Each structure stands twice: as structure tokens, then as C-alpha cells.
Amino acid sequence: QLSAQQKMSEPPVSWFRGVYLPPPLHPLNQTLAKGGRWQAVGSTQEKRRSFLHGFCQKQGGRKKLQTHLGHLVSRIYVEDRHKVLYCEVPKAGCSNWKRVLMVLNGLAASARNISHHDVHYGKHLRRLDSYDLAGISTRLNTYTKAIFVREPMERLVSAFRDKFEHPNSYYHPVFGKAIIKKYRRDAEEEALKTGSGVRFKEFIQYLLDSHRPVGMDIHWEQVSKLCHPCLIGYDFIGKFETLEEDANYFLQLVGAPAELKFPKFKDRHSSDQRTSAEVVRQYLKELSKEERQMTYDFYYLDYLMFNYTSP
């Protein structure tokens, strides 16, 4: 409704303020997902959607949005052909989801042939915050919005293993050096110089420190802050624990080509054991009872929003 001049001059926060949240829960269009094989997945999906919506209503009631719109949608990727919005949650299948979006968008013939570098650094996919305000609003109101999440402790341990237990030219010098310097007594010169060899307990000390020596990172940021589930109103909530069936059901819903299936391969460090509940238990043994409780408290909202059982 705004004039072109107003759109140019008004910042997103003033344009979006006054919208009541959480948004209403719209029925999921299931006309393209035919066949009895999807019945159980569809039923689970409705329960997840209803649970999250109920949680958001209890938490916030009807309150007005005061968040900067650009920040709100900065992690959301756009696929215009099939009208899909996907909020990226690292360590919850996001690399393969980006591959699928590239195939849907006609940028690649097969998900298997897309390298990790192209997925994360190729800039082939547009984010929602790159559109103008009218473009953002139209897509939020008319596209199918999806989020895929993971049990928070599993996601955290998976991120630690990926970034700190393998050579990494960014996380070791930027995060590793700062973490070792602040949390390791009598650190050796080599460790201070390279930032390699961060221990899980040191990583958790950094995570829980209100005066972190380096900032937050999307790989261990809470989903509640990455994707703002109570503000966006996601139509589809997938879980890493049921990733393949959830993803392929979603592809049916949006009318993806019949031959496109969600990739099964592990994106990196394919020889490593996958981060499972048992692997997580071994890492959590390194922490004190208080540290374990504080880590759970850090991800408390994620546990509640997505109905995960407390560990």
C-alpha cells in the first residue's frame, strides 16, 4: 500500500511494525502428495505445525513485531520456480538442502554433482533479504516456508566435531586461538599460534561466556534466533532425525520433479561416525553437571519449540 517514495525512504522496521504475531496457521496444500505412503508423514507434520503454533501463542500472545525485517529473513533462501522459502539451520542437512534448491531452480542437473564449495560459496541462491520490501512480503505470504531442525545437543556436538576436530583455515585461527587463549591454563605456544586442538569443554566455556572473546556463529546459534519460528510462521517443520522421509514428502508437496530425491550422502568427513545420541553422551561426559545444565538452558527454547525431549 505504500507509495514508491515511502518504500524507498522508510526502513524495513517501520514498514513491518504493526503486524500481529504469531501469524495464523494456514492449512498445508497436500494435493500434490498423492498416495497412502505419505499419510503417516503428513500426520506427523500436522502435529509438529500445531505444536509450534500453540507454543508461539502461549509465549507471545498477540504482540506487534519490533524486529528489523532484513535481520528476520537473512537466513532464508528463495527458490522462485516452486515458490519455496527455506531457512538454513547449519548441521541439520542444510548443505544437501541447498543442493536440492539449486536443482529445483534449474542451476544444476543433479544434487550429487554440486561441490561443497559451490553450495556454500558459489552464491547461486538468493536470500530473502536481497529482495525489496514488496518482494519479501509477497514471498512470505505466498511461498511454502520450510525449516529443518535437529536435536540441539546433537547439532552442537556435530558443529564442534566439524569445525574443531578437522583442519580448518577459518575456525582454528579465528575461534580456536581466542578460545585457547582465554580458557586454557598454561597453553603451549603452538596451540596459541595455530588455534588447533580446542577441547570440547573449552568450546562450551566459550559458548556459555557472556563476554565471549569472539562472537556467535551460525553453526551453534539457537534456531530460535536463526530462523525466528514464532515470527515467520513456517508451513513445514522437518527434523534431521526423519530427514529423508520429511524432505521427500516436502518435495512432493511443492511439485518437484518426480526423479528428484533428497541426497543421502554425508557432505564432508564421510568416513567419520555420524553424530548420534551415543556420540553426544561421550562428549557431554567431559562437562560438569552444572555445565551440562547450562548448555541445555542455552538451547532451552529450541527444545521447547520443536518438542525435543530434554537429554
Side-chain angles (χ1 to χ4, degrees):
Q1 302 290 318
L2 294 174
S3 70
Q5 190 173 357
Q6 282 176 307
K7 284 181 184 176
M8 293 287 286
S9 62
E10 290 200 36
V13 67
S14 63
W15 177 78
F16 219 58
R17 189 179 287 132
V19 177
Y20 283 99
L21 299 159
L25 187 63
H26 296 296
L28 199 57
N29 184 354
Q30 301 180 37
T31 54
L32 295 173
K34 296 173 183 174
R37 62 172 292 204
W38 300 116
Q39 194 170 348
V41 189
S43 174
T44 299
Q45 187 55 223
E46 288 307 318
K47 286 174 187 170
R48 288 177 189 165
R49 281 160 37 89
S50 178
F51 183 89
L52 178 60
H53 187 72
F55 168 83
C56 292
Q57 282 189 314
K58 284 179 203 165
Q59 289 298 302
R62 281 174 58 79
K63 64 181 181 184
K64 290 187 179 183
L65 174 62
Q66 302 293 334
T67 308
H68 191 289
L69 179 60
H71 173 70
L72 198 71
V73 301
S74 63
R75 304 308 317 170
I76 297 179
Y77 285 87
V78 179
E79 198 285 288
D80 281 317
R81 282 187 175 186
H82 297 80
K83 298 189 173 181
V84 170
L85 297 181
Y86 162 72
C87 188
E88 176 189 28
V89 176
K91 312 311 298 177
C94 74
S95 297
N96 279 337
W97 258 118
K98 287 184 187 176
R99 289 184 172 94
V100 167
L101 293 179
M102 287 171 71
V103 174
L104 285 175
N105 209 27
L107 298 169
S110 163
R112 182 160 285 279
N113 300 329
I114 308 169
S115 71
H116 179 86
H117 184 275
D118 272 352
V119 165
H120 292 288
Y121 308 108
K123 298 187 177 173
H124 301 293
L125 298 168
R126 283 188 73 176
R127 292 189 192 185
L128 190 52
D129 62 352
S130 71
Y131 292 82
D132 64 16
L133 297 176
I136 293 173
S137 178
T138 299
R139 286 167 177 79
L140 282 174
N141 288 322
T142 60
Y143 284 22
T144 305
K145 303 179 288 294
I147 182 173
F148 276 73
V149 298
R150 185 176 187 176
E151 199 280 336
M153 292 293 186
E154 277 192 25
R155 182 173 162 250
L156 176 68
V157 171
S158 177
F160 172 78
R161 295 175 75 199
D162 181 26
K163 303 307 177 191
F164 296 104
E165 291 187 350
H166 295 273
N168 193 295
S169 60
Y170 172 72
Y171 284 90
H172 290 199
V174 174
F175 286 86
K177 283 163 77 169
I179 289 171
I180 290 169
K181 184 178 179 182
K182 182 162 186 182
Y183 307 109
R184 185 179 299 179
R185 289 181 183 176
D186 305 320
E188 293 180 4
E189 197 63 39
E190 183 67 15
L192 289 168
K193 188 172 147 187
T194 65
S196 298
V198 169
R199 298 161 190 154
F200 186 64
K201 188 180 180 75
E202 294 166 341
F203 173 65
I204 295 301
Q205 287 176 299
Y206 145 78
L207 183 78
L208 301 175
D209 190 347
S210 57
H211 302 287
R212 293 185 195 100
V214 274
M216 222 14 196
D217 184 85
I218 61 168
H219 290 85
W220 44 86
E221 179 71 278
Q222 301 102 316
V223 177
S224 56
K225 291 185 178 177
L226 282 174
C227 295
H228 306 281
C230 286
L231 303 182
I232 297 296
Y234 290 94
D235 303 298
F236 192 94
I237 301 155
K239 290 194 171 183
F240 187 81
E241 295 75 18
T242 51
L243 177 59
E244 199 177 324
E245 63 180 17
D246 287 351
N248 288 325
Y249 176 57
F250 179 78
L251 290 173
Q252 289 276 316
L253 291 176
V254 299
E259 66 275 10
L260 179 60
K261 299 289 185 284
F262 191 80
K264 293 182 181 180
F265 61 85
K266 197 171 186 284
D267 189 49
R268 291 200 303 168
H269 316 309
S270 55
S271 62
D272 285 5
Q273 180 185 0
R274 279 192 181 270
T275 303
S276 62
E278 183 51 45
V279 169
V280 170
R281 268 192 284 275
Q282 298 307 314
Y283 279 83
L284 293 182
K285 281 180 183 176
E286 299 176 30
L287 308 180
S288 68
K289 187 176 179 181
E290 183 185 26
E291 285 169 330
R292 289 197 295 270
Q293 181 63 49
M294 289 171 69
T295 307
Y296 167 72
D297 292 343
F298 186 83
Y299 291 105
Y300 181 62
L301 264 185
D302 287 359
Y303 273 100
L304 289 182
M305 277 183 170
F306 302 107
N307 202 17
Y308 280 111
T309 305
S310 57

